[in-house]
Amino acid sequence: MSAKAGQREFDVIVIGSGTCGGTIAKELALRNKRVLILERGANPPLKETLGAIVSIADRVILGDRGLSTVRALTTGGSTSLYFAVVNYPQLDTFRTLGIDLAGDLAAIRNELPIGPLPDSLLNPQGCALSDSARALGYDWHKFDMLVDASRCTAGYAYDAKWKAKSSVQDALANGAVLMNGATVSRILVDGERAVGVEYKLRKSPFGAELRKAYAKKIVLAAGELATPKILRDTGVEGIGARGFYCNPGYAIYGLVPGLKGTDGFVGSAGCQLDAGIELSDANIVRALHRPMMVGGMKLKHLFAFPETIGIGVKVKDGLGGQMRPNGRLHKTFDQHDRAKLDRGRQAAVKILEKAGAKDIVDFGVTAAGRVGGLVRIQEHVDSTLETQFRGLHVCDGSVLPDDMRGTPTVSLVCLAKYLSRHLLSAL
């Protein structure tokens, strides 16, 4: 490969190093394909400390009154910040779109550490929530998690959660090239075919170098907050025409006198209410407790981590809002969405009160799940996830069907393996 002026030729350029980008890069590099990975973020060691999280977290505004979500700009993407909860792909839904993921899901079950947490890893807060919810008649149960319990010999361990960075590292070990600090300017198009990528490579805090790279195939895996704008700027028609959803919700906390809380895996248990309302364990780790309480001005809870107990509320909102010309998203909620938020909050407060919680507070409505609905399979991409521009494929959370609102990690790994097979057959 020529290094002249940073312009190189590859078999595949992967934009984004998260779940899909990392998986695709790994699958292709293992089969001796020349792969370039463009990652906007840096490549720091992943740690669950305040400083480490602040260095990679990027808050994205989605609407008025503080409505926002957070993504991670780093190698491995948002799996560096996620809770590692497993929601499975809806195989029948994908089949109606011409995509068969059954074999990929079966393979992933054998490859990744998937399963419910053993009882020994449930912390006192989680157990109190479970007892309270069940006493009130809710079907509170453990969820499958992407956690290697063998790495939790001393209890909760951040490193036990599967992360996409491991796939990127496998890709690099097999010859892939990773460019950190690379922000895509545009997809290079020749007629009706995508032929390359122009990107700005950050050389210092004050300057960047404009580069171009070329490939037979380009995979846009920049995430649901970045991919739609890149597609629209490239000329893909109809992106975001129906609005989007963001799964709004609350984080609600109270204080239980005498509770001796410890670190644990957030989101490891919960229940589904009617009308698309989900409740789950929201007991954050000690390292994040004080910053969160300071940020929300919850001073009474600030130094009370052992007694703090929390529930997350997430509701399935309808499509609405818009993607503005600058790519920023702005969401509005209708009365039906707000009614579901109110019902979810009321149920969460009842569970906390049943557990003995006092001084119950929330942090206002925020996005409690992924943003979606802007890009659609069989409308903006076909069954091989290819756009109207030949050679340009999309593989990230932006293309997941609307009904799939849960944590998308397993579905995305399946989709990435599926696309990898199609790419290999075409190269």
Side-chain angles (χ1 to χ4, degrees):
M1 293 176 286
S2 171
K4 181 180 179 181
Q7 297 184 17
R8 301 185 176 185
E9 293 186 358
F10 296 84
D11 293 314
V12 179
I13 299 171
V14 180
I15 302 170
S17 68
T19 301
C20 286
T23 301
I24 291 168
K26 172 185 173 180
E27 294 292 322
L28 299 182
L30 282 171
R31 290 157 181 83
N32 300 314
K33 301 304 178 183
R34 298 171 300 162
V35 180
L36 171 64
I37 310 167
L38 300 177
E39 168 55 49
R40 178 177 169 184
N43 190 23
L46 297 183
K47 297 181 291 184
E48 198 169 47
T49 63
L50 177 59
I53 290 172
V54 168
S55 71
I56 65 174
D58 180 46
R59 182 168 177 252
V60 179
I61 302 299
L62 298 177
D64 300 328
R65 300 180 181 179
L67 180 66
S68 64
T69 189
V70 175
R71 61 183 172 185
L73 300 180
T74 186
T75 305
S78 292
T79 55
S80 59
L81 295 179
Y82 81 143
F83 299 150
V85 180
V86 171
N87 293 103
Y88 293 101
Q90 297 177 5
L91 298 181
D92 288 342
T93 298
F94 275 110
R95 285 192 189 100
T96 65
L97 298 170
I99 297 174
D100 186 359
L101 299 181
D104 299 297
L105 178 58
I108 287 167
R109 286 181 181 275
N110 291 323
E111 295 174 14
L112 301 183
I114 296 176
L117 296 179
D119 290 345
S120 60
L121 290 179
L122 302 180
N123 58 10
Q125 307 98 300
C127 292
L129 284 181
S130 177
D131 292 343
S132 175
R134 290 178 178 177
L136 291 170
Y138 294 109
D139 181 26
W140 196 272
H141 58 277
K142 291 193 289 186
F143 300 138
D144 281 355
M145 303 285 285
L146 274 164
V147 172
D148 184 354
S150 69
R151 303 184 68 177
C152 300
T153 55
Y156 170 80
Y158 168 75
D159 290 340
K161 292 189 283 189
W162 178 86
K163 300 176 185 65
K165 189 171 185 176
S166 63
S167 296
V168 177
Q169 291 169 334
D170 288 341
L172 298 181
N174 286 278
V177 176
L178 171 66
M179 302 297 290
N180 288 99
T183 301
V184 172
S185 303
R186 62 190 177 109
I187 304 297
L188 302 175
V189 174
D190 183 6
E192 295 299 315
R193 174 168 288 278
V195 296
V197 177
E198 180 181 86
Y199 63 99
K200 295 178 181 177
L201 183 65
R202 187 171 62 248
K203 306 294 287 187
S204 72
F206 309 103
E209 175 184 326
L210 191 63
R211 293 189 175 189
K212 294 179 181 179
Y214 299 89
K216 301 171 185 175
K217 292 284 187 178
I218 298 163
V219 178
L220 187 48
E224 58 262 30
L225 295 170
T227 286
K229 182 179 186 301
I230 296 173
L231 288 173
R232 190 179 64 183
D233 291 348
T234 302
V236 178
E237 299 175 353
I239 298 296
R242 297 183 179 89
F244 66 98
Y245 56 82
C246 66
N247 300 290
Y250 291 99
I252 305 174
Y253 293 89
L255 299 176
V256 178
L259 184 64
K260 297 179 180 179
T262 60
D263 286 347
F265 291 95
V266 180
S268 61
C271 66
Q272 188 78 31
L273 303 183
D274 62 331
I277 305 170
E278 182 179 312
L279 307 180
S280 62
D281 180 322
N283 292 296
I284 58 175
V285 297
R286 186 184 297 269
L288 302 182
H289 174 82
R290 287 187 183 178
M292 184 174 179
M293 296 304 162
V294 168
M297 297 298 293
K298 313 302 182 187
L299 302 184
K300 191 166 187 177
H301 300 68
L302 180 59
F303 298 103
F305 171 76
E307 296 183 332
T308 301
I309 187 170
I311 291 184
V313 179
K314 181 174 71 174
V315 308
K316 183 177 179 180
D317 58 321
L319 290 168
Q322 61 178 315
M323 183 170 69
R324 293 174 170 172
N326 61 4
R328 294 182 179 177
L329 300 174
H330 190 272
K331 175 71 176 182
T332 55
F333 301 115
D334 60 24
Q335 292 183 344
H336 186 57
D337 294 332
R338 295 193 178 279
K340 286 194 287 188
L341 284 166
D342 289 342
R343 289 201 299 276
R345 189 186 188 285
Q346 291 167 9
V349 169
K350 286 181 181 179
I351 293 172
L352 291 175
E353 290 176 338
K354 182 68 173 178
K358 310 294 183 182
D359 300 300
I360 296 173
V361 297
D362 67 63
F363 289 78
V365 176
T366 189
R370 69 179 187 86
V371 173
L374 293 160
V375 184
R376 295 173 178 274
I377 299 172
Q378 297 299 1
E379 182 175 339
H380 304 110
V381 298
D382 63 18
S383 61
T384 65
L385 306 182
E386 192 171 28
T387 69
Q388 67 194 62
F389 296 97
R390 299 300 89 184
L392 176 60
H393 298 257
V394 181
C395 190
D396 58 25
S398 67
V399 298
L400 290 180
D402 289 355
D403 288 341
M404 296 178 56
R405 300 292 189 96
T407 303
T409 312
V410 169
S411 298
L412 294 179
V413 176
C414 288
L415 205 59
K417 283 181 170 289
Y418 167 86
L419 177 56
S420 296
R421 290 198 306 277
H422 284 277
L423 294 174
L424 287 167
S425 68
L427 291 172

